[in-house]
């Protein structure tokens, strides 16, 4: 091995370690209330790393660079793109994540590495876990982009891959991945009713702009308010979910976005289909992705930023709302969507499927109050696991401080009537 080749690989490893530290800081921060500078630093570090392996590929491969290491870098860039989408709601960031994930999958970086390269059985198992997690992330991105064919293909591949892993590593417990497959099957079955139907997103061809409505136009002449922030959360027992994305929040997330126009869809399709150049002549399988490609949809207003919280405690939810309101501008509307049961007893009841709609309350079914109870059992939401206790109850009064800002509240529960203005 030449000194130049070894030096190039050492430089790559040093940059990778520095980028990993920046990625860890960005990953540990919540996707709301600032902290975007950590994400930008991580993105800059991985972009530099990616370009290094493009420009000095032959030296790096000769120095010991393996395919799964390139796949790991590309996967991190895809994760940063996805995190940017969650933070900013920019569709182009979701497209960027899809581009990188599709490139990793089509070139089989992790699969080829685990099957063809050395390093021992333990390292091969670690690479296999990386590939399982990668496919799960790719599935979420494909779901959000409504790529039905890709979702079906990836779901089948994940099932087959788990079975292959159980055979290849008989002494390893893949129980958690069997649970992931069960959740995926329930999620796709519940969401399957929407296949072939119109998207849940607002469509410029069918949904009028607010300014086109006379009554709203008169209101705008006095004060212009825009939906800038949304907090989406659900806490139900046995709810339909995949990873930490529940069916309720998944559908609500889409309802708060504009369907991209034709020109944007064409640009995004060209980027995902033609934005990669494959060079299979070397072991690394170079991917040349246009990182600077600018695709935007200037014909539509921006999507609101969304904080998606999975199974929060009451105190955590209130802390998130307080953080977001601290940075809310005067012309902004905050939307709060909460899907939860009205009591511990109802929350423990088995639910086969989640709500078919995330915008209306369920039929009322109230438990009988205990004789010595001093508080009504139907005036709160239950955010908690099994058991009982006041700290898990979310009352309408808890949200009063946030009504200082323009607030739009959606409660998906049999106790939603308790949150009706003037009811309590």
């Amino acid at each position: 091995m030449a000194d130049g080749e070894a030096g190039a690989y050492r430089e790559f490893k040093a940059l990778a370690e520095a980028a990993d530290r920046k990625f860890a800081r960005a990953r540990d921060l919540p996707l709301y209330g600032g902290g975007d500078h950590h994400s930008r630093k991580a993105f800059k570090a991985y972009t530099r790393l990616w370009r290094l392996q493009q420009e000095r590929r032959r030296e790096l491969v000769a120095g010991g660079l393996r395919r799964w290491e390139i796949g790991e870098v590309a996967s991190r860039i895809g994760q940063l793109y996805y995190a940017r989408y969650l933070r900013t709601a920019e569709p182009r960031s979701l497209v960027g994540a899809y581009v990188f994930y599709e490139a990793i999958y089509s070139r089989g970086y992790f699969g080829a590495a685990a099957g063809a390269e050395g390093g021992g059985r333990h390292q091969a198992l670690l690479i296999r876990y990386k590939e399982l997690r990668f496919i799960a992330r790719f599935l979420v991105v494909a779901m959000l982009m409504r790529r039905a064919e890709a979702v079906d293909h990836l779901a089948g591949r994940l099932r087959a891959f788990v079975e292959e892993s159980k055979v290849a590593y008989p002494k390893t417990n893949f129980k958690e991945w069997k649970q992931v497959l069960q959740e995926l099957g329930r999620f796709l079955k519940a969401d399957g009713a929407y296949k072939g139907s119109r998207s849940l997103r607002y469509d410029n061809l069918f949904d009028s702009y607010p300014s086109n409505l006379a009554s709203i136009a008169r209101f705008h002449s006095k004060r212009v308010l825009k939906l800038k922030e949304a907090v989406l959360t659900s806490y139900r027992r046995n709810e339909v979910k995949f990873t930490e994305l529940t069916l309720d929040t998944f559908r609500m997330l889409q309802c708060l976005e504009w369907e991209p126009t034709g020109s944007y869809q064409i640009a995004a399709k060209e980027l995902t289909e033609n934005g990669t150049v494959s060079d299979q002549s070397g072991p690394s399988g170079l991917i040349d992705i246009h990182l600077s490609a600018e695709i935007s949809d200037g014909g539509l207003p921006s999507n609101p930023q969304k904080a998606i919280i999975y199974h929060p405690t009451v105190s955590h939810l209130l802390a998130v709302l307080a953080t977001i309101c601290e940075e809310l501008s005067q012309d902004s509307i905050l939307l709060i969507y909460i899907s939860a049961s009205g009591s511990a007893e109802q929350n423990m009841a088995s639910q086969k499927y989640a709500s078919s709609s995330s915008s209306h309350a369920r039929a009322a079914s109230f438990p009988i109050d205990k004789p010595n109870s001093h508080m009504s059992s139907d005036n709160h939401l239950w955010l908690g696991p099994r058991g009982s206790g006041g700290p898990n109850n979310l009352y309408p009064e808890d949200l009063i401080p946030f009504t200082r800002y323009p607030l739009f509240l959606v409660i998906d529960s049999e106790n939603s009537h308790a949150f009706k203005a003037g009811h309590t």
Side-chain angles (χ1 to χ4, degrees), residues 224-263:
V224 179
L225 296 176
K226 297 180 180 179
L227 179 59
K228 292 289 188 66
E229 298 277 356
V231 176
L232 313 178
T233 186
S234 65
Y235 204 134
R236 293 180 178 276
R237 180 170 170 78
N238 294 333
E239 60 188 336
V240 177
K241 72 179 186 70
F242 180 60
T243 62
E244 292 189 351
L245 187 65
T246 67
L247 187 63
D248 285 349
T249 54
F250 172 72
R251 290 176 177 171
M252 197 65 186
L253 182 150
Q254 293 182 84
C255 288
L256 296 176
E257 294 190 349
W258 286 94
E259 182 71 16
T261 61
S263 59

Short mmCIF file of all heavy atoms in Angstrom, two decimals, residues 224-263:
data_model
loop_
_atom_site.label_atom_id
_atom_site.label_comp_id
_atom_site.label_asym_id
_atom_site.label_seq_id
_atom_site.Cartn_x
_atom_site.Cartn_y
_atom_site.Cartn_z
N VAL A 224 -53.58 39.74 8.61
CA VAL A 224 -53.17 38.57 7.85
C VAL A 224 -52.48 37.58 8.79
O VAL A 224 -51.44 37.89 9.38
CB VAL A 224 -52.22 38.95 6.70
CG1 VAL A 224 -51.78 37.69 5.95
CG2 VAL A 224 -52.89 39.92 5.75
N LEU A 225 -53.08 36.41 8.95
CA LEU A 225 -52.51 35.35 9.78
C LEU A 225 -52.12 34.17 8.90
O LEU A 225 -52.84 33.83 7.95
CB LEU A 225 -53.50 34.91 10.85
CG LEU A 225 -53.91 35.94 11.90
CD1 LEU A 225 -54.98 35.37 12.81
CD2 LEU A 225 -52.70 36.38 12.72
N LYS A 226 -51.01 33.55 9.22
CA LYS A 226 -50.54 32.41 8.44
C LYS A 226 -50.23 31.25 9.38
O LYS A 226 -49.68 31.45 10.46
CB LYS A 226 -49.28 32.78 7.65
CG LYS A 226 -49.52 33.88 6.61
CD LYS A 226 -48.23 34.19 5.86
CE LYS A 226 -48.47 35.28 4.82
NZ LYS A 226 -47.22 35.62 4.09
N LEU A 227 -50.58 30.06 8.92
CA LEU A 227 -50.27 28.87 9.70
C LEU A 227 -48.79 28.56 9.54
O LEU A 227 -48.34 28.12 8.48
CB LEU A 227 -51.11 27.68 9.22
CG LEU A 227 -50.87 26.35 9.93
CD1 LEU A 227 -51.13 26.46 11.41
CD2 LEU A 227 -51.73 25.25 9.31
N LYS A 228 -48.01 28.82 10.58
CA LYS A 228 -46.56 28.66 10.50
C LYS A 228 -46.06 27.46 11.30
O LYS A 228 -45.02 26.90 10.96
CB LYS A 228 -45.89 29.93 11.04
CG LYS A 228 -46.10 31.17 10.19
CD LYS A 228 -45.32 31.08 8.90
CE LYS A 228 -45.38 32.39 8.14
NZ LYS A 228 -44.69 33.49 8.84
N GLU A 229 -46.75 27.10 12.37
CA GLU A 229 -46.26 26.03 13.25
C GLU A 229 -47.40 25.06 13.57
O GLU A 229 -48.56 25.46 13.69
CB GLU A 229 -45.71 26.60 14.56
CG GLU A 229 -44.52 27.53 14.40
CD GLU A 229 -43.21 26.77 14.27
OE1 GLU A 229 -43.24 25.52 14.38
OE2 GLU A 229 -42.18 27.42 14.06
N ALA A 230 -47.04 23.80 13.72
CA ALA A 230 -48.02 22.78 14.11
C ALA A 230 -47.34 21.77 15.02
O ALA A 230 -46.19 21.38 14.80
CB ALA A 230 -48.60 22.08 12.88
N VAL A 231 -48.06 21.37 16.06
CA VAL A 231 -47.59 20.32 16.96
C VAL A 231 -48.54 19.13 16.81
O VAL A 231 -49.75 19.26 17.02
CB VAL A 231 -47.58 20.80 18.43
CG1 VAL A 231 -47.19 19.65 19.36
CG2 VAL A 231 -46.61 21.97 18.60
N LEU A 232 -48.01 17.99 16.40
CA LEU A 232 -48.81 16.80 16.13
C LEU A 232 -48.39 15.69 17.08
O LEU A 232 -47.21 15.33 17.14
CB LEU A 232 -48.62 16.34 14.67
CG LEU A 232 -48.70 17.41 13.58
CD1 LEU A 232 -48.45 16.79 12.21
CD2 LEU A 232 -50.06 18.10 13.61
N THR A 233 -49.35 15.15 17.81
CA THR A 233 -49.01 14.09 18.75
C THR A 233 -50.18 13.15 18.96
O THR A 233 -51.35 13.53 18.76
CB THR A 233 -48.57 14.69 20.11
OG1 THR A 233 -48.10 13.65 20.95
CG2 THR A 233 -49.73 15.39 20.80
N SER A 234 -49.87 11.94 19.34
CA SER A 234 -50.90 10.96 19.68
C SER A 234 -50.37 10.04 20.77
O SER A 234 -49.16 9.80 20.87
CB SER A 234 -51.31 10.14 18.45
OG SER A 234 -50.23 9.34 17.99
N TYR A 235 -51.29 9.55 21.59
CA TYR A 235 -50.91 8.62 22.67
C TYR A 235 -52.09 7.68 22.90
O TYR A 235 -53.03 8.00 23.61
CB TYR A 235 -50.59 9.39 23.96
CG TYR A 235 -49.68 8.62 24.90
CD1 TYR A 235 -48.59 9.25 25.49
CD2 TYR A 235 -49.90 7.27 25.20
CE1 TYR A 235 -47.75 8.56 26.36
CE2 TYR A 235 -49.07 6.58 26.04
CZ TYR A 235 -47.99 7.23 26.62
OH TYR A 235 -47.16 6.54 27.47
N ARG A 236 -52.02 6.53 22.26
CA ARG A 236 -53.08 5.52 22.40
C ARG A 236 -52.43 4.16 22.54
O ARG A 236 -51.35 3.92 21.99
CB ARG A 236 -54.02 5.54 21.20
CG ARG A 236 -54.86 6.81 21.11
CD ARG A 236 -55.78 6.76 19.91
NE ARG A 236 -56.62 7.94 19.81
CZ ARG A 236 -57.76 8.12 20.44
NH1 ARG A 236 -58.21 7.16 21.25
NH2 ARG A 236 -58.46 9.22 20.29
N ARG A 237 -53.13 3.30 23.22
CA ARG A 237 -52.63 1.94 23.40
C ARG A 237 -52.92 1.13 22.14
O ARG A 237 -54.00 1.21 21.56
CB ARG A 237 -53.29 1.29 24.61
CG ARG A 237 -52.82 -0.14 24.87
CD ARG A 237 -53.32 -0.64 26.21
NE ARG A 237 -53.10 -2.05 26.38
CZ ARG A 237 -51.93 -2.60 26.70
NH1 ARG A 237 -50.89 -1.81 26.87
NH2 ARG A 237 -51.80 -3.90 26.85
N ASN A 238 -51.92 0.38 21.67
CA ASN A 238 -52.04 -0.48 20.49
C ASN A 238 -52.41 0.31 19.24
O ASN A 238 -53.13 -0.19 18.37
CB ASN A 238 -53.09 -1.59 20.72
CG ASN A 238 -52.68 -2.56 21.80
OD1 ASN A 238 -51.49 -2.77 22.04
ND2 ASN A 238 -53.65 -3.14 22.48
N GLU A 239 -51.95 1.55 19.14
CA GLU A 239 -52.28 2.32 17.95
C GLU A 239 -51.45 1.87 16.76
O GLU A 239 -50.36 1.31 16.91
CB GLU A 239 -52.08 3.81 18.20
CG GLU A 239 -50.67 4.22 18.58
CD GLU A 239 -50.60 5.67 19.01
OE1 GLU A 239 -51.49 6.44 18.59
OE2 GLU A 239 -49.70 6.02 19.77
N VAL A 240 -51.99 2.11 15.58
CA VAL A 240 -51.30 1.74 14.34
C VAL A 240 -50.15 2.71 14.12
O VAL A 240 -50.34 3.92 14.07
CB VAL A 240 -52.27 1.77 13.15
CG1 VAL A 240 -51.53 1.46 11.86
CG2 VAL A 240 -53.41 0.79 13.37
N LYS A 241 -48.94 2.17 13.99
CA LYS A 241 -47.77 3.02 13.81
C LYS A 241 -46.68 2.24 13.08
O LYS A 241 -46.71 1.00 13.01
CB LYS A 241 -47.24 3.50 15.15
CG LYS A 241 -46.55 2.42 15.99
CD LYS A 241 -46.03 2.98 17.30
CE LYS A 241 -45.21 1.94 18.08
NZ LYS A 241 -43.92 1.65 17.41
N PHE A 242 -45.72 2.98 12.54
CA PHE A 242 -44.50 2.39 12.02
C PHE A 242 -43.35 3.25 12.50
O PHE A 242 -43.35 4.46 12.31
CB PHE A 242 -44.52 2.33 10.49
CG PHE A 242 -43.28 1.71 9.91
CD1 PHE A 242 -42.92 0.41 10.23
CD2 PHE A 242 -42.45 2.43 9.06
CE1 PHE A 242 -41.77 -0.16 9.72
CE2 PHE A 242 -41.30 1.86 8.53
CZ PHE A 242 -40.96 0.57 8.85
N THR A 243 -42.37 2.64 13.11
CA THR A 243 -41.32 3.32 13.88
C THR A 243 -42.04 4.21 14.91
O THR A 243 -42.82 3.71 15.68
CB THR A 243 -40.37 4.12 12.96
OG1 THR A 243 -41.09 5.14 12.26
CG2 THR A 243 -39.69 3.19 11.98
N GLU A 244 -41.79 5.52 14.90
CA GLU A 244 -42.48 6.40 15.84
C GLU A 244 -43.47 7.33 15.12
O GLU A 244 -43.85 8.36 15.64
CB GLU A 244 -41.46 7.24 16.62
CG GLU A 244 -40.62 6.40 17.58
CD GLU A 244 -39.78 7.24 18.51
OE1 GLU A 244 -39.71 8.47 18.30
OE2 GLU A 244 -39.19 6.68 19.46
N LEU A 245 -43.89 6.92 13.94
CA LEU A 245 -44.87 7.68 13.16
C LEU A 245 -46.20 6.95 13.22
O LEU A 245 -46.36 5.87 12.63
CB LEU A 245 -44.39 7.82 11.72
CG LEU A 245 -45.22 8.74 10.81
CD1 LEU A 245 -45.14 10.19 11.30
CD2 LEU A 245 -44.73 8.64 9.38
N THR A 246 -47.16 7.50 13.96
CA THR A 246 -48.46 6.87 14.07
C THR A 246 -49.31 7.23 12.85
O THR A 246 -49.05 8.21 12.15
CB THR A 246 -49.19 7.32 15.34
OG1 THR A 246 -49.52 8.71 15.24
CG2 THR A 246 -48.33 7.09 16.57
N LEU A 247 -50.34 6.42 12.60
CA LEU A 247 -51.19 6.66 11.44
C LEU A 247 -51.90 8.01 11.55
O LEU A 247 -52.05 8.73 10.56
CB LEU A 247 -52.23 5.53 11.33
CG LEU A 247 -53.09 5.54 10.07
CD1 LEU A 247 -52.23 5.35 8.83
CD2 LEU A 247 -54.16 4.47 10.14
N ASP A 248 -52.31 8.38 12.77
CA ASP A 248 -52.99 9.66 12.95
C ASP A 248 -52.08 10.83 12.59
O ASP A 248 -52.47 11.74 11.85
CB ASP A 248 -53.46 9.81 14.41
CG ASP A 248 -54.68 8.96 14.70
OD1 ASP A 248 -55.28 8.44 13.74
OD2 ASP A 248 -55.03 8.80 15.88
N THR A 249 -50.87 10.84 13.14
CA THR A 249 -49.96 11.95 12.85
C THR A 249 -49.47 11.90 11.41
O THR A 249 -49.22 12.95 10.80
CB THR A 249 -48.75 11.92 13.80
OG1 THR A 249 -48.12 10.63 13.75
CG2 THR A 249 -49.19 12.21 15.23
N PHE A 250 -49.34 10.70 10.83
CA PHE A 250 -48.93 10.56 9.43
C PHE A 250 -49.93 11.24 8.50
O PHE A 250 -49.56 11.99 7.60
CB PHE A 250 -48.80 9.07 9.10
CG PHE A 250 -48.58 8.77 7.65
CD1 PHE A 250 -47.36 9.05 7.05
CD2 PHE A 250 -49.58 8.19 6.88
CE1 PHE A 250 -47.15 8.75 5.70
CE2 PHE A 250 -49.38 7.89 5.55
CZ PHE A 250 -48.15 8.17 4.96
N ARG A 251 -51.21 10.99 8.73
CA ARG A 251 -52.24 11.60 7.88
C ARG A 251 -52.38 13.10 8.15
O ARG A 251 -52.57 13.89 7.23
CB ARG A 251 -53.57 10.89 8.10
CG ARG A 251 -53.58 9.47 7.53
CD ARG A 251 -54.86 8.75 7.83
NE ARG A 251 -54.88 7.42 7.21
CZ ARG A 251 -55.80 6.51 7.44
NH1 ARG A 251 -56.78 6.75 8.31
NH2 ARG A 251 -55.76 5.34 6.84
N MET A 252 -52.28 13.48 9.42
CA MET A 252 -52.39 14.90 9.74
C MET A 252 -51.22 15.67 9.15
O MET A 252 -51.38 16.80 8.69
CB MET A 252 -52.44 15.08 11.26
CG MET A 252 -52.95 16.42 11.70
SD MET A 252 -54.68 16.66 11.24
CE MET A 252 -54.92 18.37 11.71
N LEU A 253 -50.04 15.08 9.17
CA LEU A 253 -48.86 15.73 8.58
C LEU A 253 -49.11 16.04 7.12
O LEU A 253 -48.79 17.14 6.64
CB LEU A 253 -47.65 14.81 8.74
CG LEU A 253 -46.29 15.29 8.24
CD1 LEU A 253 -45.18 14.67 9.07
CD2 LEU A 253 -46.07 14.92 6.78
N GLN A 254 -49.70 15.09 6.40
CA GLN A 254 -49.95 15.31 4.98
C GLN A 254 -51.05 16.35 4.75
O GLN A 254 -50.99 17.12 3.79
CB GLN A 254 -50.33 13.99 4.31
CG GLN A 254 -49.19 12.99 4.28
CD GLN A 254 -49.59 11.72 3.58
OE1 GLN A 254 -49.53 11.62 2.36
NE2 GLN A 254 -50.03 10.76 4.37
N CYS A 255 -52.03 16.37 5.64
CA CYS A 255 -53.12 17.35 5.49
C CYS A 255 -52.62 18.79 5.65
O CYS A 255 -53.32 19.72 5.24
CB CYS A 255 -54.21 17.08 6.53
SG CYS A 255 -55.20 15.61 6.20
N LEU A 256 -51.46 18.97 6.23
CA LEU A 256 -50.93 20.31 6.47
C LEU A 256 -49.88 20.70 5.44
O LEU A 256 -49.08 21.59 5.67
CB LEU A 256 -50.33 20.39 7.87
CG LEU A 256 -51.33 20.21 9.03
CD1 LEU A 256 -50.60 20.21 10.36
CD2 LEU A 256 -52.40 21.28 9.01
N GLU A 257 -49.87 20.03 4.30
CA GLU A 257 -48.91 20.35 3.26
C GLU A 257 -49.63 20.53 1.92
O GLU A 257 -50.69 19.96 1.69
CB GLU A 257 -47.85 19.26 3.14
CG GLU A 257 -46.96 19.15 4.36
CD GLU A 257 -45.77 18.23 4.14
OE1 GLU A 257 -45.76 17.53 3.10
OE2 GLU A 257 -44.86 18.24 4.97
N TRP A 258 -49.01 21.33 1.07
CA TRP A 258 -49.53 21.51 -0.28
C TRP A 258 -49.03 20.40 -1.18
O TRP A 258 -47.87 19.99 -1.10
CB TRP A 258 -49.09 22.85 -0.85
CG TRP A 258 -49.79 24.04 -0.27
CD1 TRP A 258 -49.37 24.82 0.77
CD2 TRP A 258 -51.04 24.56 -0.70
NE1 TRP A 258 -50.29 25.81 1.01
CE2 TRP A 258 -51.33 25.68 0.12
CE3 TRP A 258 -51.96 24.22 -1.69
CZ2 TRP A 258 -52.48 26.45 -0.02
CZ3 TRP A 258 -53.10 24.98 -1.84
CH2 TRP A 258 -53.36 26.07 -1.01
N GLU A 259 -49.90 19.91 -2.05
CA GLU A 259 -49.49 18.96 -3.08
C GLU A 259 -48.63 19.71 -4.09
O GLU A 259 -49.05 20.74 -4.63
CB GLU A 259 -50.71 18.36 -3.77
CG GLU A 259 -50.39 17.31 -4.81
CD GLU A 259 -49.88 16.02 -4.20
OE1 GLU A 259 -50.05 15.81 -2.99
OE2 GLU A 259 -49.31 15.21 -4.95
N PRO A 260 -47.39 19.26 -4.36
CA PRO A 260 -46.53 19.98 -5.31
C PRO A 260 -47.19 20.12 -6.67
O PRO A 260 -47.96 19.26 -7.11
CB PRO A 260 -45.28 19.09 -5.39
CG PRO A 260 -45.27 18.36 -4.09
CD PRO A 260 -46.71 18.11 -3.75
N THR A 261 -46.91 21.23 -7.32
CA THR A 261 -47.49 21.49 -8.64
C THR A 261 -46.78 20.65 -9.69
O THR A 261 -45.77 20.01 -9.43
CB THR A 261 -47.37 22.97 -9.00
OG1 THR A 261 -45.98 23.32 -9.04
CG2 THR A 261 -48.06 23.84 -7.98
N GLY A 262 -47.30 20.69 -10.90
CA GLY A 262 -46.75 19.87 -11.98
C GLY A 262 -45.30 20.14 -12.28
O GLY A 262 -44.50 19.21 -12.46
N SER A 263 -44.91 21.42 -12.31
CA SER A 263 -43.52 21.75 -12.63
C SER A 263 -42.57 21.22 -11.57
O SER A 263 -41.48 20.73 -11.87
CB SER A 263 -43.37 23.27 -12.77
OG SER A 263 -43.75 23.92 -11.56
#
